[in-house]
Amino acid sequence: MSTPTVRAVRAPVVVAGASMAGLRAAEQLRAAGWDGPVTLVGAEPHMPYNRPPLSKEVLAGKASFESLAFRPRASVADVTWRLGTRVTAADLDRRTVRLDDGDTLPYAGLVIATGMRPRRLTCPGPLAGRHAVRTLDDARGLRAALTRPGARVVVVGAGFIGCEVAATAVALGAAEVTVVDPLPLPMVGPLGELLAAALRKRHENRGVRFALGTGVTAFEGEDHVTGVVLGDGAVLPADVVVESVGSVANTEWLDGNGLDLADGVRTDAHLRAGGRPEVVAVGDVARFPNARYDGVPRRVEHWSIPTDTARHAARVLTARLTGEQHDPDPFAPLPTFWSDQHDFRLQSFGAPALGKADVRVLDGDPDGDVLAGYHRGGRLVGVVALGGPTAAAAAARHRTALLKQPARTA
Amino acid sequence: MKVVVDMNKCQDHGQCVFAAPDVFSFDDAGRLAYVGDPDDALRDEVEEAADVCPLQAIRIEG
Ligand SMILES: Cc1cc2nc3c(=O)[nH]c(=O)nc-3n(C[C@H](O)[C@H](O)[C@H](O)COP(=O)(O)OP(=O)(O)OC[C@H]3O[C@@H](n4cnc5c(N)ncnc54)[C@H](O)[C@@H]3O)c2cc1C
Ligand code: SF4
């Protein structure tokens, strides 16, 4: 018989980042059978909350900020929350993380869930009047600015957040709303030309203007923004500027550990980072290969991803920590995405961006409810519906077929 | 187990129907219908449905 080692405290699984992916990871660790301690460290002072309404219902004033809070499962009632606390460094060889309050936490397992922050423009000009939307506090500030009567709004970046904010600003009665983007059409990166052109038309019909094919070179104004200078020399008068120009991964705290942090945390097919079986990455920050497609590691900023990654990563990590034999299939989620703008919704299943070169209208027409199919090598790899509930339901009917596709269709 | 959907929040995303088809469905008018007191054997499915609802409209009691 071996002498039992007495350890006063079992090292916890430390979850860095206490938002959606962090919460789901904690819940899924419990579901996978990890009954040891779990500590969540989160830079924001709030309990985890749902972000999509920040550019939609909550920004529009149709839902309260309080309504955003997630309801954690009962299984995580015993986890330790260290909110308003930032992880500043990690030593993956020693298995410790350092916090900004001076503490060092040893861990048995580490879940990286620190997500993204908005990229900000660096061109010259005043800072006041310029907004980004990622957090509750951002949305509060932007809502206050947008509800000032007669606001002239310039949205920089015609991605999904920019398009949603533009739609909400119109609904709030802004005097002028203009969306600027160097690309020729809104959301053309993920959607391709056919739907991007249809999207532009819908926005214009509802009062949004576009300045496309040009970037921003400077902001005018003394203490507060009064105008936005474009690459072609034009100046758009502005009281409120929203910068929705992409995001940057929060990975600085992982520097110096030999991880590939080129764009988020690169993982293997089981969401493990740096070849370390006790370190996993989940949510927006994870750059993972999807066995359903081509195996190229990509970050996916969709709301469905925190839940999908957390489930897979928690199983893999729990098996490792409990010494249980576990050989799961490689991670192969079906990405799903939606975006609400004005009175219509975009609903996507699969990976349309991979099939942008071969887009076919499967149902309806681009001026009404439309369903587009995205193909690669002749096979359907994604569908996107644009329109009302009927269009979204049509997209959902293709979901089963997309799910059934064998891994590596392309 | 009791399931309650806040129909003021629900926007017919249908994610719950994919996750727990035995509990959630759409009626002929395209509105969400659901079983309010599903069997406890369906707990995993129902918890998953609550997780994937974009509006976080599904509450599980008991
Ligand atoms: C305005 C908005 C609208 C959206 N709308 C949609 C939509 O309609 N449809 C859709 O599919 N998706 C949408 N998304 C995307 C979706 O919300 C994200 O994919 C999801 O929130 C990612 O969750 P996460 O937990 O991975 O990252 P995050 O939510 O970014 O969480 C990371 C957390 O980690 C914290 N953190 C960072 N660094 C540290 C550190 N060093 N130490 C401790 N904590 C740290 C951060 O403060 C943050 O709380 C939207 C996102 C935004 C911002
Ligand atoms: S997932 Fe949520 S919003 Fe969608 S139908 Fe179900 S309850 Fe309604």
Tab-separated table of all heavy atoms in Angstrom, chain A residues 251-288:
chain	number	residue	atom	x	y	z
A	251	THR	N	-4.778	38.412	-24.985
A	251	THR	CA	-3.856	37.300	-24.699
A	251	THR	C	-2.517	37.759	-24.145
A	251	THR	O	-1.627	36.926	-23.935
A	251	THR	CB	-3.575	36.479	-25.975
A	251	THR	OG1	-3.131	37.379	-26.998
A	251	THR	CG2	-4.811	35.747	-26.455
A	252	GLU	N	-2.361	39.066	-23.900
A	252	GLU	CA	-1.055	39.575	-23.447
A	252	GLU	C	-0.583	38.841	-22.201
A	252	GLU	O	0.612	38.612	-22.009
A	252	GLU	CB	-1.129	41.080	-23.173
A	252	GLU	CG	-1.274	41.953	-24.420
A	252	GLU	CD	-2.704	42.027	-24.960
A	252	GLU	OE1	-3.611	41.337	-24.420
A	252	GLU	OE2	-2.916	42.766	-25.939
A	253	TRP	N	-1.507	38.478	-21.337
A	253	TRP	CA	-1.145	37.808	-20.085
A	253	TRP	C	-0.512	36.431	-20.302
A	253	TRP	O	0.097	35.884	-19.390
A	253	TRP	CB	-2.373	37.704	-19.170
A	253	TRP	CG	-3.499	36.867	-19.726
A	253	TRP	CD1	-4.434	37.256	-20.625
A	253	TRP	CD2	-3.804	35.502	-19.410
A	253	TRP	NE1	-5.295	36.216	-20.907
A	253	TRP	CE2	-4.931	35.139	-20.164
A	253	TRP	CE3	-3.219	34.561	-18.553
A	253	TRP	CZ2	-5.505	33.867	-20.099
A	253	TRP	CZ3	-3.784	33.288	-18.479
A	253	TRP	CH2	-4.923	32.945	-19.257
A	254	LEU	N	-0.637	35.915	-21.515
A	254	LEU	CA	-0.055	34.602	-21.815
A	254	LEU	C	1.317	34.699	-22.474
A	254	LEU	O	1.953	33.678	-22.752
A	254	LEU	CB	-1.003	33.824	-22.728
A	254	LEU	CG	-2.252	33.286	-22.043
A	254	LEU	CD1	-3.322	32.927	-23.069
A	254	LEU	CD2	-1.910	32.070	-21.181
A	255	ASP	N	1.781	35.928	-22.726
A	255	ASP	CA	3.075	36.114	-23.386
A	255	ASP	C	4.179	35.379	-22.636
A	255	ASP	O	4.129	35.247	-21.409
A	255	ASP	CB	3.440	37.607	-23.454
A	255	ASP	CG	2.671	38.326	-24.558
A	255	ASP	OD1	2.084	37.640	-25.420
A	255	ASP	OD2	2.649	39.570	-24.542
A	256	GLY	N	5.192	34.940	-23.369
A	256	GLY	CA	6.379	34.358	-22.745
A	256	GLY	C	6.244	32.889	-22.415
A	256	GLY	O	7.081	32.330	-21.714
A	257	ASN	N	5.172	32.244	-22.893
A	257	ASN	CA	4.989	30.818	-22.614
A	257	ASN	C	5.131	29.946	-23.855
A	257	ASN	O	4.784	28.763	-23.835
A	257	ASN	CB	3.620	30.582	-21.980
A	257	ASN	CG	3.578	31.028	-20.528
A	257	ASN	OD1	4.157	30.379	-19.675
A	257	ASN	ND2	2.934	32.165	-20.273
A	258	GLY	N	5.582	30.557	-24.945
A	258	GLY	CA	5.795	29.783	-26.164
A	258	GLY	C	4.515	29.391	-26.895
A	258	GLY	O	4.540	28.524	-27.763
A	259	LEU	N	3.384	30.029	-26.547
A	259	LEU	CA	2.138	29.715	-27.255
A	259	LEU	C	2.085	30.483	-28.582
A	259	LEU	O	2.693	31.547	-28.708
A	259	LEU	CB	0.924	30.120	-26.408
A	259	LEU	CG	0.739	29.426	-25.070
A	259	LEU	CD1	-0.537	29.940	-24.398
A	259	LEU	CD2	0.663	27.912	-25.255
A	260	ASP	N	1.337	29.959	-29.542
A	260	ASP	CA	1.077	30.686	-30.775
A	260	ASP	C	-0.108	31.612	-30.501
A	260	ASP	O	-1.257	31.175	-30.401
A	260	ASP	CB	0.758	29.696	-31.899
A	260	ASP	CG	0.360	30.395	-33.197
A	260	ASP	OD1	0.195	31.627	-33.201
A	260	ASP	OD2	0.212	29.690	-34.220
A	261	LEU	N	0.211	32.932	-30.368
A	261	LEU	CA	-0.816	33.917	-30.020
A	261	LEU	C	-1.016	34.914	-31.167
A	261	LEU	O	-1.408	36.060	-30.957
A	261	LEU	CB	-0.411	34.673	-28.743
A	261	LEU	CG	-0.166	33.810	-27.497
A	261	LEU	CD1	0.377	34.670	-26.356
A	261	LEU	CD2	-1.451	33.109	-27.063
A	262	ALA	N	-0.753	34.464	-32.401
A	262	ALA	CA	-0.788	35.383	-33.551
A	262	ALA	C	-2.158	36.045	-33.695
A	262	ALA	O	-2.251	37.206	-34.045
A	262	ALA	CB	-0.410	34.626	-34.812
A	263	ASP	N	-3.233	35.305	-33.450
A	263	ASP	CA	-4.589	35.870	-33.520
A	263	ASP	C	-5.437	35.011	-32.590
A	263	ASP	O	-6.030	34.036	-33.011
A	263	ASP	CB	-5.107	35.816	-34.963
A	263	ASP	CG	-6.570	36.215	-35.059
A	263	ASP	OD1	-7.037	36.996	-34.219
A	263	ASP	OD2	-7.258	35.734	-35.986
A	264	GLY	N	-5.433	35.366	-31.325
A	264	GLY	CA	-6.061	34.494	-30.349
A	264	GLY	C	-5.124	33.344	-30.019
A	264	GLY	O	-3.959	33.325	-30.434
A	265	VAL	N	-5.628	32.380	-29.269
A	265	VAL	CA	-4.806	31.261	-28.807
A	265	VAL	C	-4.999	30.084	-29.745
A	265	VAL	O	-6.099	29.538	-29.869
A	265	VAL	CB	-5.228	30.834	-27.385
A	265	VAL	CG1	-4.397	29.642	-26.914
A	265	VAL	CG2	-5.102	32.001	-26.417
A	266	ARG	N	-3.927	29.707	-30.427
A	266	ARG	CA	-4.033	28.565	-31.332
A	266	ARG	C	-4.156	27.274	-30.529
A	266	ARG	O	-3.422	27.046	-29.577
A	266	ARG	CB	-2.802	28.517	-32.219
A	266	ARG	CG	-2.676	27.179	-32.872
A	266	ARG	CD	-2.169	27.214	-34.242
A	266	ARG	NE	-2.432	25.914	-34.828
A	266	ARG	CZ	-1.884	25.503	-35.947
A	266	ARG	NH1	-1.085	26.294	-36.593
A	266	ARG	NH2	-2.171	24.310	-36.428
A	267	THR	N	-5.096	26.431	-30.918
A	267	THR	CA	-5.303	25.174	-30.205
A	267	THR	C	-5.196	23.990	-31.158
A	267	THR	O	-5.210	24.155	-32.376
A	267	THR	CB	-6.693	25.099	-29.545
A	267	THR	OG1	-7.671	24.844	-30.555
A	267	THR	CG2	-7.032	26.381	-28.801
A	268	ASP	N	-5.149	22.792	-30.570
A	268	ASP	CA	-5.233	21.581	-31.381
A	268	ASP	C	-6.706	21.214	-31.575
A	268	ASP	O	-7.602	21.977	-31.203
A	268	ASP	CB	-4.421	20.444	-30.725
A	268	ASP	CG	-5.021	19.971	-29.394
A	268	ASP	OD1	-6.155	20.369	-29.052
A	268	ASP	OD2	-4.341	19.191	-28.687
A	269	ALA	N	-6.960	20.051	-32.135
A	269	ALA	CA	-8.325	19.653	-32.472
A	269	ALA	C	-9.197	19.421	-31.238
A	269	ALA	O	-10.401	19.194	-31.349
A	269	ALA	CB	-8.287	18.397	-33.328
A	270	HIS	N	-8.579	19.462	-30.047
A	270	HIS	CA	-9.342	19.314	-28.811
A	270	HIS	C	-9.269	20.553	-27.939
A	270	HIS	O	-9.488	20.486	-26.729
A	270	HIS	CB	-8.854	18.086	-28.041
A	270	HIS	CG	-9.198	16.812	-28.748
A	270	HIS	ND1	-10.501	16.436	-28.999
A	270	HIS	CD2	-8.418	15.857	-29.295
A	270	HIS	CE1	-10.500	15.291	-29.663
A	270	HIS	NE2	-9.251	14.923	-29.858
A	271	LEU	N	-8.921	21.679	-28.558
A	271	LEU	CA	-8.936	22.982	-27.882
A	271	LEU	C	-7.833	23.134	-26.844
A	271	LEU	O	-7.883	24.005	-25.984
A	271	LEU	CB	-10.331	23.254	-27.253
A	271	LEU	CG	-11.469	23.260	-28.280
A	271	LEU	CD1	-12.826	23.102	-27.599
A	271	LEU	CD2	-11.450	24.537	-29.106
A	272	ARG	N	-6.816	22.257	-26.903
A	272	ARG	CA	-5.684	22.375	-25.989
A	272	ARG	C	-4.634	23.288	-26.603
A	272	ARG	O	-4.425	23.268	-27.816
A	272	ARG	CB	-5.072	20.985	-25.742
A	272	ARG	CG	-6.027	20.075	-24.992
A	272	ARG	CD	-5.485	18.674	-24.890
A	272	ARG	NE	-5.320	18.060	-26.198
A	272	ARG	CZ	-5.537	16.769	-26.446
A	272	ARG	NH1	-5.937	15.965	-25.487
A	272	ARG	NH2	-5.358	16.281	-27.658
A	273	ALA	N	-3.969	24.045	-25.752
A	273	ALA	CA	-3.013	25.034	-26.252
A	273	ALA	C	-1.583	24.619	-25.953
A	273	ALA	O	-1.292	24.092	-24.868
A	273	ALA	CB	-3.300	26.398	-25.630
A	274	GLY	N	-0.692	24.874	-26.894
A	274	GLY	CA	0.743	24.701	-26.683
A	274	GLY	C	1.155	23.283	-26.341
A	274	GLY	O	2.162	23.080	-25.666
A	275	GLY	N	0.357	22.288	-26.760
A	275	GLY	CA	0.690	20.908	-26.460
A	275	GLY	C	0.597	20.578	-24.985
A	275	GLY	O	1.178	19.603	-24.520
A	276	ARG	N	-0.129	21.416	-24.231
A	276	ARG	CA	-0.251	21.180	-22.791
A	276	ARG	C	-1.656	20.653	-22.508
A	276	ARG	O	-2.641	21.367	-22.656
A	276	ARG	CB	-0.043	22.484	-22.015
A	276	ARG	CG	1.360	23.022	-22.144
A	276	ARG	CD	1.476	24.361	-21.467
A	276	ARG	NE	2.772	24.958	-21.742
A	276	ARG	CZ	3.849	24.786	-20.966
A	276	ARG	NH1	3.771	24.075	-19.867
A	276	ARG	NH2	4.981	25.352	-21.300
A	277	PRO	N	-1.747	19.409	-22.067
A	277	PRO	CA	-3.077	18.796	-21.905
A	277	PRO	C	-3.913	19.430	-20.800
A	277	PRO	O	-5.123	19.208	-20.750
A	277	PRO	CB	-2.757	17.338	-21.591
A	277	PRO	CG	-1.338	17.318	-21.155
A	277	PRO	CD	-0.657	18.475	-21.813
A	278	GLU	N	-3.288	20.229	-19.919
A	278	GLU	CA	-4.076	20.832	-18.835
A	278	GLU	C	-4.439	22.288	-19.128
A	278	GLU	O	-4.968	22.981	-18.268
A	278	GLU	CB	-3.336	20.692	-17.492
A	278	GLU	CG	-2.119	21.585	-17.299
A	278	GLU	CD	-0.888	21.176	-18.118
A	278	GLU	OE1	-0.942	20.141	-18.804
A	278	GLU	OE2	0.107	21.909	-18.078
A	279	VAL	N	-4.182	22.738	-20.369
A	279	VAL	CA	-4.513	24.119	-20.737
A	279	VAL	C	-5.431	24.103	-21.961
A	279	VAL	O	-5.057	23.564	-23.009
A	279	VAL	CB	-3.237	24.932	-21.056
A	279	VAL	CG1	-3.599	26.366	-21.450
A	279	VAL	CG2	-2.286	24.933	-19.850
A	280	VAL	N	-6.620	24.672	-21.820
A	280	VAL	CA	-7.558	24.718	-22.948
A	280	VAL	C	-8.015	26.156	-23.175
A	280	VAL	O	-7.954	26.983	-22.262
A	280	VAL	CB	-8.801	23.819	-22.705
A	280	VAL	CG1	-8.424	22.347	-22.677
A	280	VAL	CG2	-9.527	24.225	-21.415
A	281	ALA	N	-8.461	26.433	-24.397
A	281	ALA	CA	-8.983	27.769	-24.721
A	281	ALA	C	-10.408	27.636	-25.238
A	281	ALA	O	-10.721	26.688	-25.972
A	281	ALA	CB	-8.107	28.452	-25.757
A	282	VAL	N	-11.265	28.568	-24.829
A	282	VAL	CA	-12.686	28.516	-25.208
A	282	VAL	C	-13.187	29.903	-25.625
A	282	VAL	O	-12.614	30.921	-25.257
A	282	VAL	CB	-13.557	27.988	-24.040
A	282	VAL	CG1	-13.232	26.538	-23.718
A	282	VAL	CG2	-13.391	28.851	-22.787
A	283	GLY	N	-14.275	29.905	-26.395
A	283	GLY	CA	-14.918	31.169	-26.758
A	283	GLY	C	-14.205	31.905	-27.882
A	283	GLY	O	-13.452	31.324	-28.664
A	284	ASP	N	-14.451	33.209	-27.947
A	284	ASP	CA	-13.933	34.050	-29.029
A	284	ASP	C	-12.420	33.992	-29.164
A	284	ASP	O	-11.883	34.214	-30.243
A	284	ASP	CB	-14.289	35.527	-28.745
A	284	ASP	CG	-15.691	35.894	-29.190
A	284	ASP	OD1	-16.432	34.983	-29.618
A	284	ASP	OD2	-16.037	37.085	-29.109
A	285	VAL	N	-11.725	33.752	-28.066
A	285	VAL	CA	-10.265	33.860	-28.073
A	285	VAL	C	-9.601	32.611	-28.662
A	285	VAL	O	-8.431	32.634	-29.011
A	285	VAL	CB	-9.751	34.144	-26.632
A	285	VAL	CG1	-9.706	32.872	-25.791
A	285	VAL	CG2	-8.398	34.828	-26.653
A	286	ALA	N	-10.338	31.527	-28.792
A	286	ALA	CA	-9.752	30.257	-29.248
A	286	ALA	C	-9.635	30.226	-30.771
A	286	ALA	O	-10.605	30.504	-31.476
A	286	ALA	CB	-10.600	29.085	-28.766
A	287	ARG	N	-8.478	29.892	-31.275
A	287	ARG	CA	-8.291	29.706	-32.722
A	287	ARG	C	-8.115	28.219	-32.946
A	287	ARG	O	-7.049	27.659	-32.711
A	287	ARG	CB	-7.081	30.511	-33.213
A	287	ARG	CG	-6.812	30.369	-34.708
A	287	ARG	CD	-5.993	31.547	-35.243
A	287	ARG	NE	-4.825	31.806	-34.442
A	287	ARG	CZ	-3.599	31.347	-34.713
A	287	ARG	NH1	-3.389	30.606	-35.772
A	287	ARG	NH2	-2.584	31.643	-33.916
A	288	PHE	N	-9.177	27.571	-33.367
A	288	PHE	CA	-9.218	26.105	-33.399
A	288	PHE	C	-9.496	25.589	-34.811
A	288	PHE	O	-10.182	26.246	-35.586
A	288	PHE	CB	-10.307	25.600	-32.435
A	288	PHE	CG	-11.683	26.102	-32.795
A	288	PHE	CD1	-12.478	25.411	-33.701
A	288	PHE	CD2	-12.195	27.273	-32.229
A	288	PHE	CE1	-13.748	25.881	-34.048
A	288	PHE	CE2	-13.461	27.751	-32.581
A	288	PHE	CZ	-14.230	27.052	-33.486
